[in-house]
Amino acid sequence: MTLLDLLALDFMQRALVAALLTGLAAPAIGTFIVQRRLALLGDGIGHVAVTGVALGLLTGASPTWTAVVVAVLGAVLIELIRERGHTNGDVALALLFYGGLAGGVLITGIAGQGAATLQAYLFGSLTSISGQDVWVTAALTVVVLVATLGLSPQLFAVASDQDFARVAGLRVRGYNLLIAVLAAVSITVAMRTVGLLLVSALMVVPVATSQQLARSFRTTLLGAMLVGCLASAGGLLLSAALSFRASVAPGPTIVLLALAMFTATWPLGAWLRRRSRLMAPFPEVAATPHRSTEHPHAHGDDCGHPAVPHGDHVDYVHDGHRHAVHGEHYDEH
Ligand SMILES: [Zn+2]
Ligand SMILES: [Zn+2]
Ligand SMILES: [Zn+2]
């Protein structure tokens, strides 16, 4: 069977559309999650969402919608636990994640469904994606993309420097909750193709790949979405082709393909980084704290503000101005 024969199949067309939507949505919100250093947030929400799927199987409601509701509630709960402090937060999150997974498996059994039904949601499934699923997936993808691309300056500010965002007057708590909710929505989007247990990889690996080559935040975001689409569509077709010989779920194939793309770009990224260091006409500027109380922030290599070479020094674009280290203070340029 050739690629064209494969694409002529109805369920393959549905799966491919769902995969492309997944490849756009998961890395889009994933870029902000990586920026916030919360790479495992998606994994936690995915575990909680298993209970949502099981509730759908038990009540006869659409598992996609019950998963959306439970994943969003779980994401808000996770964000509130994180916000309350670090002492017992780790343990509370672990309890929530294990409870979500164990509860989901248990309820699925009570609903009279076997592990095979749940497996389609845990690792993705080519054949189980209905036409209605595709429409729901498309609607949720639009929500995620409009929010992440439309609010990207605010989300970026909050994700890269919470203290600065607070000083600048942004509602940090609201945006943190929004990031968590959007993560929950894109996890539900990815549920049918990549599966709940592997979706976090599609939020993180394309971003890491894009970061190898991209220099600005915006190109990282767009590059991650491109890599996500290539990995999810390519992985899906590969798993379909392999399925003629053995049972191959799309989720693991998509994730392994994304990891292969990361591995392939890593040497190129290392070379680019070394070259840009060699070509820098001035020494790297060490991070110096601002003297002014209006900017309690030290600009440096990885502070998240775009760096602009300017004469013999580096300016950082910050709150609409360009700031540069001059001796012990920052000047506006
Ligand atoms: Zn900075
Ligand atoms: Zn300057
Ligand atoms: Zn500044």
Side-chain angles (χ1 to χ4, degrees):
M1 194 176 230
T2 67
L3 190 64
L4 281 178
D5 294 332
L6 211 57
L7 289 175
L9 299 169
D10 263 2
F11 76 86
M12 269 310 290
Q13 290 169 2
R14 288 196 297 269
L16 195 61
V17 172
L20 285 170
L21 293 168
T22 306
L24 284 175
I29 186 64
T31 308
F32 299 99
I33 288 173
V34 169
Q35 184 81 22
R36 257 192 87 190
R37 299 180 198 281
L38 290 178
L40 294 177
L41 175 72
D43 194 46
I45 300 175
H47 280 66
V48 176
V50 178
T51 292
V53 170
L55 287 176
L57 296 175
L58 184 68
T59 58
S62 153
T64 307
W65 286 116
T66 51
V68 173
V69 172
V70 172
V72 167
L73 289 176
V76 171
L77 193 58
I78 290 168
E79 191 50 42
L80 294 179
I81 292 173
R82 282 177 33 78
E83 202 183 61
R84 292 207 113 198
H86 300 283
T87 36
N88 291 318
D90 258 10
V91 176
L93 290 181
L95 298 180
L96 187 65
F97 300 167
Y98 302 144
L101 185 57
V105 173
L106 200 74
I107 295 171
T108 305
I110 293 172
Q113 301 279 349
T117 313
L118 201 54
Q119 191 176 334
Y121 295 90
L122 296 183
F123 302 107
S125 158
L126 287 170
T127 49
S128 75
I129 304 172
S130 69
Q132 199 207 347
D133 283 330
V134 174
W135 284 111
V136 173
T137 301
L140 294 176
T141 303
V142 169
V143 171
V144 171
L145 291 184
V146 166
T148 45
L149 298 181
L151 292 172
S152 91
Q154 291 92 325
L155 292 177
F156 172 69
V158 172
S160 53
D161 188 340
Q162 308 233 353
D163 293 331
F164 173 69
R166 202 167 277 123
V167 171
L170 289 177
R171 295 182 172 186
V172 170
R173 191 179 191 214
Y175 284 114
N176 278 340
L177 281 172
L178 182 64
I179 290 176
V181 167
L182 291 175
V185 172
S186 46
I187 281 161
T188 324
V189 167
M191 180 170 81
R192 309 310 295 257
T193 44
V194 192
L196 292 172
L197 293 188
L198 290 172
V199 47
S200 199
L202 203 62
M203 299 181 118
V204 173
V205 180
V207 180
T209 307
S210 178
Q211 277 176 337
Q212 297 296 321
L213 309 178
R215 281 290 157 267
S216 78
F217 181 75
R218 206 159 180 88
T219 38
T220 304
L221 176 65
L222 297 175
M225 290 164 72
L226 177 68
V227 172
C229 282
L230 290 175
S232 51
L236 187 92
L237 292 174
L238 197 60
S239 80
L242 293 173
S243 286
F244 289 108
R245 293 163 192 277
S247 153
V248 179
T253 319
I254 290 170
V255 170
L256 289 174
L257 188 61
L259 283 169
M261 289 168 80
F262 173 79
T263 311
T265 51
W266 193 80
L268 189 56
W271 178 74
L272 280 174
R273 278 191 296 276
R274 198 172 58 239
R275 203 178 68 128
S276 74
R277 258 203 305 280
L278 290 176
M279 280 171 49
F282 40 78
E284 285 180 32
V285 181
T288 319
H290 283 234
R291 198 200 259 160
S292 156
T293 47
E294 292 163 56
H295 300 281
H297 173 81
H299 292 295
D301 256 343
D302 56 359
C303 71
H305 295 117
V308 184
H310 182 207
D312 61 345
H313 60 277
V314 178
D315 290 353
Y316 290 92
V317 182
H318 177 177
D319 201 20
H321 298 92
R322 282 161 61 163
H323 290 213
V325 192
H326 283 164
E328 280 188 25
H329 64 284
Y330 277 86
D331 284 342
E332 271 193 32
H333 286 222

